[in-house]
Amino acid sequence: METAEIRRRFLDHFEGNGHSVVPSASLISPDPSLLFTVAGMVPFIPYLTGQQTPPWQRATSVQKCIRTGDIEEVGKTTRHGTFFQMNGNFSFGDYFKEGAISYAWDLITKSHDDGGYGFGEDKIWVTVYHDDDEAAQLWKKVAGLPDERIQRRGLLDNYWHTGQPGPGGPCSEIYIDRGAEHGPDGGPVVDEDRFLEIWNLVFMQEQITDVKAKDDFTVVGDLPSKNIDTGMGLERVAYLLQGVDNMYEIDQVRPTLQRAADLSGRRYGADHTDDVRMRVVADHVRSSLMLIGDGVTPSNEGRGYVLRRLLRRSVRAMRLLGVEDTTIPELLPVAKDCMKAAYPELESDFDRISSVAFAEEEAFRRTLVTGTQIFDLAADEAKRAGEFALPGDTAFKLHDTYGFPIDLTLEMAAEQGLKVDEGHFRRLMTEQRERARADAKAKKTGGADTSAYRQLRDAGPTPFTGYEELETESRVRGLLLDGMAVPGASEGETLEVVLDRTPFYAESGGQDSDAGVITGDGFELEVLDVQRPVKGLIVHQVRVLKGEVISGQDVHAKVDREWRVGACQAHSGTHIVHAALRQVLGPQALQSGSYNKPGYLRLDFAWGQALGAQTRSEVEEVANLAVRRDHAVSATYMPLERAREVGALALFGETYDEEVRVVEMGGAWSRELCGGTHVAHSSQVGLITLTGESSVGAGSRRVEAFVGIEGFRHLAKERTLVSQLADLLKVQPDQLPERVERLVAQVRDAEKELAKARSSELGAQAAELAASARDVYGVSFVSHTAPDGTAADELRSLALDVRGRLGAERPVVVAVAGAGESGRPSVVVAVNEPGREWGVKAGALVRVAAQTLGGGGGGKDDVAQGGGTDASKIGDALTQVEHSIGQAVTG
Ligand code: SER
């Protein structure tokens, strides 16, 4: 039965039972808490929760869905697809459990001639929530199911929610027994491959919140009515009714898979790894088609990232299938032809859809080859060095320069038995984001539409009261949501607030914005950010913590005192470091940029080379002496001309008003044009601890420092570290350098000795192993399990040594495996020239072995290496290699 027919029967069945047929909503979820439409019920959430009155009490739909949580399972199982269609019937306070069960039973058991799906009654099993006696009773009453085919399961399996606060409820799932050849008996609780779930009946009756996991959430209370939400996997039913093995072989997917196979010249069904790749391609190309159809375009974030990942994964899978040409122009039209009967807009929109997809493939192809080489090199290096993870900066470079989504790098690494230093990768990403944010902020609002701000500013600039006070009585002049004026906002919303006057410092001159709260009659706003998007107008970005704020209300604006003290220390600290740099290095070391927030400062300055340790200490000393001198800090307004005369430092590229503010410390020692907030006396800065110095482009350096209590904390941490080391090495702290130096020399000597011993031991072992060679189909075969703790590169040299000793007279295969120090198994296979001539390839043998070890690997024909996770399978893996030699030789 074709998928389109299964779909039609579903809708007919429910329409005939009084349900309104509702068209599929977009894949871009109408519910703002979800990225995608993940289930048929998503468009109906407001009706289920009672927020809106449903226009009908019964509805039915076939909804397009995307779920990418199990993307790595795609192709490996029979049933994981990123795009799928969900048939559903919904009751909003109308029928409940009995109705849902009897409609479902009727449709799945009715014969084909009567418009049903014709599943044999004896093949049907169901599960119910563990204490749902009512549902269990109904399955007996309505369907006559015997007790043993009604199984009970807990929250994890039989309670459904979207993963976000909203509606939820216990559910009952319907399974079809595919037969003994697909797994053990005992129902879905034993085997979910043999017993395939096709339909989930959810008894939506509760409002939940605080969702931490599938089985960890809080029930707030009952929904206004008891509802039904069911979801039947259209692809799953299709693969059962079409008599194929999995969802990738149904009529809507198989043609794309076949096209991938044809392009690669490989046969589907001949090799498991290739089959998985073809299924990935078919699944991902279809999902990409549907996503672009609904308006998603590739990007590095959110929905666009998911699309990018799907497209790039399929391009790479085709590459692994040996296809180097562009493939999307070949595959996408096939996927479209499969889907256009159900979604005719795909045809009329295909020009747009295909140009988006083709451009993405082109972009990836430009960097794929170089990126892959960089990856391979880094992976080889990591393995040779005995590392288990690829460095974070490689992953970052692959992402940033070569467009490899991090998940792709993670997968490629896993195929090589490696992890990725994700922590470091994320740190580099954050740094990059901060840079981008700073750039954006430096450009202020850039090209954004500022008309709403300008209208508010027409009532005059916002007076800033924050030099004199931290708390100010004020009034809400306007509220903006996504750049549009709104009359009010309520709890949980994030929006922009403009006040008549404010004590909040807007980010500028390198100083981060103030934190604090704005309160009024029954409401409280947390200030997240403060900016001046147009000249003179101060805009607070806030989250409504409580109540409802309305334009025109009186408010009390209050800057967090602790925060401001820290901000003043950090900003004055920045001026001090600047003056200290110029005192030590000379007046040309002029500041070119800065950033400071409580506890931290960063300053970029014009300088051509790295500062030595000596110079850094000197700068630090001069800065802290200036703190200790307790210079008075003053701020004076004067004409720009006058400020120049007294030598106040202005930042290059900044424009200043005619009347400027000059901040001075110790008279001429530090005199800068500055609008920031400062301490009154330099001693209030407390402490300045330089923590780093680096390059930020040609002719520009950056120093970073901790300030005030953070400076102290940093030093305290280092002191603890020193005393830990001293305890560990049993010396006085000042003897540490000498002791460590001695230790390093000893370790180096010991390593040399060890390497010598190892190599003679391995030499002896290699000779012994070479003598143990056995004949396997005319090939001299050596297989060996090394003792635990042997590193992968030792396995490699052993394999090469043994191969060398066996000469080149006749075919030789050497396979050695062992668990490294981490307990993870590795395997190395080496094949000599005559062996390769006989058709035995090291890469292919390693792949077989690594699969048995639960991992992956590969390499050249002469020597290859792989790894896995399960060391208990080493013996099996070596046996597999032996069998594969037989297969390769006998062909
Ligand atoms: N919402 C449920 C599911 O997605 C039933 O439609 O499984």
Side-chain angles (χ1 to χ4, degrees):
M1 193 181 295
E2 288 190 348
T3 307
E5 178 61 16
I6 299 170
R7 175 181 198 271
R8 193 182 63 74
R9 287 183 183 219
F10 188 91
L11 295 176
D12 281 357
H13 175 70
F14 284 99
E15 192 175 24
N17 282 299
H19 293 65
S20 297
V21 177
V22 179
S24 172
S26 166
L27 285 169
I28 300 178
S29 163
D31 183 289
S33 68
L34 298 165
L35 210 52
F36 292 115
T37 301
V38 292
M41 51 73 80
V42 170
F44 301 120
I45 291 177
Y47 306 146
L48 295 167
T49 54
Q51 269 175 326
Q52 284 177 25
T53 314
W56 352 258
Q57 281 204 294
R58 299 175 172 212
T60 180
S61 67
V62 176
Q63 174 63 48
K64 299 180 271 189
C65 300
I66 287 272
R67 287 185 195 171
T68 52
D70 289 325
I71 193 169
E72 273 153 40
E73 293 302 310
V74 171
K76 296 181 188 158
T77 72
T78 56
R79 59 181 193 280
H80 282 99
T82 51
F83 170 85
F84 60 96
Q85 298 154 91
M86 192 172 267
N87 297 348
N89 58 288
F90 304 88
S91 149
F92 308 109
D94 189 17
Y95 60 85
F96 198 46
K97 293 184 187 177
E98 179 158 9
I101 289 174
S102 79
Y103 288 137
W105 181 256
D106 192 23
L107 177 62
I108 55 178
T109 55
K110 225 173 4 182
S111 73
H112 290 184
D113 289 346
D114 289 337
Y117 296 147
F119 287 112
E121 296 192 7
D122 55 335
K123 299 271 183 295
I124 299 173
W125 291 62
V126 300
T127 58
V128 297
Y129 185 56
H130 68 90
D131 66 359
D132 194 350
D133 296 335
E134 186 190 355
Q137 273 310 321
L138 285 167
W139 278 114
K140 283 196 238 176
K141 178 179 137 196
V142 175
L145 275 185
D147 278 328
E148 63 274 16
R149 280 196 273 134
I150 303 172
Q151 299 189 314
R152 293 183 186 242
R153 297 176 107 174
L155 276 184
L156 201 56
D157 298 289
N158 276 61
Y159 191 98
W160 201 89
H161 54 79
T162 65
Q164 294 294 328
C171 58
S172 176
E173 298 186 324
I174 304 177
Y175 291 78
I176 303 293
D177 180 1
R178 298 164 64 212
E181 67 275 29
H182 295 286
D185 205 352
V189 297
V190 172
D191 186 340
E192 287 206 34
D193 231 3
R194 167 171 171 177
F195 298 89
L196 181 72
E197 185 218 325
I198 57 158
W199 204 343
N200 184 12
L201 316 182
V202 185
F203 311 130
M204 281 289 185
Q205 53 197 37
E206 287 164 342
Q207 175 79 30
I208 65 163
T209 189
D210 200 14
V211 187
K212 298 197 191 74
K214 261 194 107 174
D215 56 348
D216 187 0
F217 52 84
T218 310
V219 174
V220 182
D222 286 341
L223 291 174
S225 54
K226 288 189 179 341
N227 307 307
I228 288 297
D229 149 34
T230 87
M232 164 187 272
L234 178 54
E235 281 75 7
R236 293 188 180 185
V237 175
Y239 96 68
L240 291 175
L241 293 182
Q242 292 175 11
V244 292
D245 260 351
N246 54 60
M247 67 162 285
Y248 319 100
E249 294 175 21
I250 66 170
D251 57 342
Q252 282 187 341
V253 187
R254 174 73 194 233
T256 315
L257 187 157
Q258 192 53 48
R259 187 83 192 107
D262 293 346
L263 287 171
S264 70
R266 302 187 190 180
R267 194 168 58 76
Y268 179 64
D271 175 275
H272 176 70
T273 312
D274 284 351
D275 289 354
V276 170
R277 288 180 184 142
M278 291 172 195
R279 293 180 196 145
V280 164
V281 170
D283 172 88
H284 288 10
V285 168
R286 181 167 85 136
S287 304
S288 304
L289 167 82
M290 301 308 292
L291 280 171
I292 305 173
D294 275 352
V296 180
T297 50
S299 76
N300 281 338
E301 277 174 7
R303 299 184 183 101
Y305 174 77
V306 173
L307 171 61
R308 169 157 286 168
R309 187 172 173 210
L310 288 165
L311 277 168
R312 294 191 169 198
R313 271 184 122 233
S314 58
V315 171
R316 178 164 179 268
M318 287 303 286
R319 181 69 64 142
L320 292 172
L321 284 166
V323 184
E324 304 210 335
D325 283 341
T326 48
T327 57
I328 302 291
E330 301 289 334
L331 298 163
L332 200 68
V334 183
K336 181 256 303 172
D337 287 341
C338 294
M339 299 303 290
K340 68 182 180 194
Y343 308 96
E345 65 280 8
L346 293 173
E347 180 86 289
S348 50
D349 232 9
F350 194 62
D351 278 350
R352 176 186 66 80
I353 297 174
S354 50
S355 64
V356 171
F358 299 172
E360 179 65 7
E361 177 175 35
E362 280 306 329
F364 189 39
R365 276 168 54 82
R366 278 197 290 276
T367 56
L368 179 60
V369 173
T370 327
T372 307
Q373 281 164 357
I374 289 177
F375 174 88
D376 288 344
L377 216 66
D380 270 357
E381 236 166 60
K383 281 195 220 159
R384 241 199 305 278
E387 302 283 349
F388 297 102
L390 208 64
D393 46 6
T394 306
F396 178 73
K397 185 165 165 192
L398 285 171
H399 176 276
D400 200 43
T401 316
Y402 298 97
F404 281 47
I406 177 64
D407 296 291
L408 182 61
T409 306
L410 287 169
E411 283 169 36
M412 289 169 68
E415 286 165 16
Q416 303 272 340
L418 287 170
K419 291 199 159 66
V420 174
D421 183 349
E422 270 191 87
H424 189 205
F425 170 80
R426 305 258 170 239
R427 272 196 301 285
L428 293 170
M429 288 293 286
T430 312
E431 277 173 31
Q432 191 201 39
R433 252 199 303 276
E434 273 183 2
R435 274 199 300 278
R437 210 171 13 227
D439 281 357
K441 279 186 170 175
K443 290 194 203 90
K444 297 287 178 323
T445 48
D449 179 7
T450 55
S451 53
Y453 298 127
R454 275 186 275 110
Q455 260 174 21
L456 284 164
R457 205 232 359 240
D458 286 348
T462 321
F464 173 60
T465 57
Y467 291 137
E468 299 90 35
E469 60 187 25
L470 292 181
E471 300 186 26
T472 297
E473 300 306 323
S474 187
R475 183 191 299 261
V476 178
R477 185 190 287 180
L479 301 170
L480 298 174
L481 197 64
D482 295 331
M484 307 266 283
V486 289
S490 48
E491 193 170 318
E493 285 188 293
T494 299
L495 77 164
E496 291 175 317
V497 178
V498 174
L499 302 180
D500 278 350
R501 50 214 293 269
T502 182
F504 282 91
Y505 183 80
E507 178 173 353
S508 54
Q511 181 178 334
D512 205 342
S513 57
D514 275 335
V517 290
I518 299 172
T519 49
D521 188 14
F523 65 86
E524 189 173 333
L525 315 175
E526 178 189 4
V527 176
L528 307 171
D529 191 13
V530 190
Q531 296 290 332
R532 261 183 287 184
V534 292
K535 200 165 177 345
L537 187 77
I538 299 181
V539 178
H540 312 76
Q541 199 196 11
V542 302
R543 184 171 36 233
V544 186
L545 291 181
K546 165 168 126 205
E548 191 182 7
V549 54
I550 293 170
S551 197
Q553 274 176 316
D554 289 338
V555 294
H556 180 77
K558 181 175 168 194
V559 174
D560 181 315
R561 183 169 298 273
E562 275 289 300
W563 174 280
R564 176 62 85 70
V565 168
C568 291
Q569 287 180 318
H571 201 154
S572 297
T574 310
H575 286 209
I576 291 175
V577 171
H578 188 200
L581 278 167
R582 299 180 76 239
Q583 181 175 327
V584 174
L585 301 173
Q588 67 274 33
L590 204 58
Q591 176 181 328
S592 55
S594 70
Y595 170 72
N596 57 78
K597 64 175 180 187
Y600 171 83
L601 72 86
R602 181 172 82 206
L603 186 147
D604 298 345
F605 60 102
W607 196 248
Q609 68 263 13
L611 306 187
Q614 181 72 36
T615 315
R616 280 211 308 263
S617 323
E618 213 177 315
V619 172
E620 198 171 36
E621 169 104 10
V622 170
N624 282 293
L625 281 175
V627 169
R628 183 177 165 279
R629 282 208 181 101
D630 199 22
H631 294 305
V633 182
S634 66
T636 333
Y637 289 87
M638 59 182 81
L640 183 58
E641 206 41 43
R642 167 93 190 111
R644 287 199 209 286
E645 276 165 27
V646 299
L649 297 176
L651 281 189
F652 179 73
E654 283 282 327
T655 49
Y656 293 96
D657 290 333
E658 272 314 296
E659 175 86 351
V660 293
R661 184 169 183 259
V662 176
V663 174
E664 202 174 85
M665 278 181 210
W669 188 71
S670 164
R671 204 174 259 158
E672 299 195 21
L673 296 194
C674 177
T677 64
H678 288 272
V679 296
H681 287 269
S682 66
S683 61
Q684 290 165 342
V685 170
L687 182 62
I688 297 174
T689 311
L690 292 194
T691 54
E693 196 265 342
S694 56
S695 159
V696 275
S700 187
R701 310 288 305 176
R702 166 172 295 177
V703 286
E704 289 175 273
F706 286 126
V707 187
I709 191 71
E710 287 305 325
F712 164 77
R713 287 191 181 124
H714 180 75
L715 293 180
K717 210 155 79 190
E718 287 196 338
R719 190 181 55 192
T720 311
L721 208 67
V722 167
S723 66
Q724 274 171 345
L725 286 176
D727 281 354
L728 219 60
L729 297 175
K730 303 205 172 24
V731 292
Q732 291 304 313
D734 57 359
Q735 294 165 334
L736 271 174
E738 195 196 317
R739 178 89 180 101
V740 170
E741 217 170 294
R742 244 194 1 249
L743 275 177
V744 169
Q746 279 169 358
V747 169
R748 209 178 300 126
D749 290 347
E751 272 171 352
K752 270 195 213 136
E753 284 301 311
L754 197 61
K756 242 194 276 166
R758 278 258 198 203
S759 107
S760 70
E761 192 183 311
L762 286 175
Q765 199 184 7
E768 225 171 86
L769 286 176
S772 75
R774 290 181 286 122
D775 182 282
V776 175
Y777 291 90
V779 171
S780 292
F781 178 55
V782 173
S783 99
H784 170 63
T785 306
D788 286 352
T790 310
D793 52 353
E794 286 174 340
L795 296 179
R796 197 180 175 93
S797 16
L798 183 60
L800 292 178
D801 193 350
V802 177
R803 184 183 69 179
R805 284 168 198 263
L806 287 167
E809 306 280 286
R810 42 176 308 184
V812 169
V813 174
V814 182
V816 292
E821 285 196 340
S822 66
R824 290 170 72 96
S826 299
V827 56
V828 177
V829 174
V831 179
N832 72 351
E833 174 80 37
R836 298 197 292 278
E837 276 161 15
W838 279 30
V840 187
K841 298 192 164 127
L845 296 184
V846 153
R847 216 167 296 132
V848 172
Q851 241 162 37
T852 312
L853 296 173
K860 307 229 178 64
D861 292 351
D862 61 339
V863 51
Q865 173 173 336
T869 49
D870 187 356
S872 72
K873 295 272 166 60
I874 287 180
D876 290 351
L878 292 172
T879 311
Q880 289 297 337
V881 171
E882 182 168 346
H883 291 327
S884 304
I885 296 175
Q887 279 160 11
V889 171
T890 55

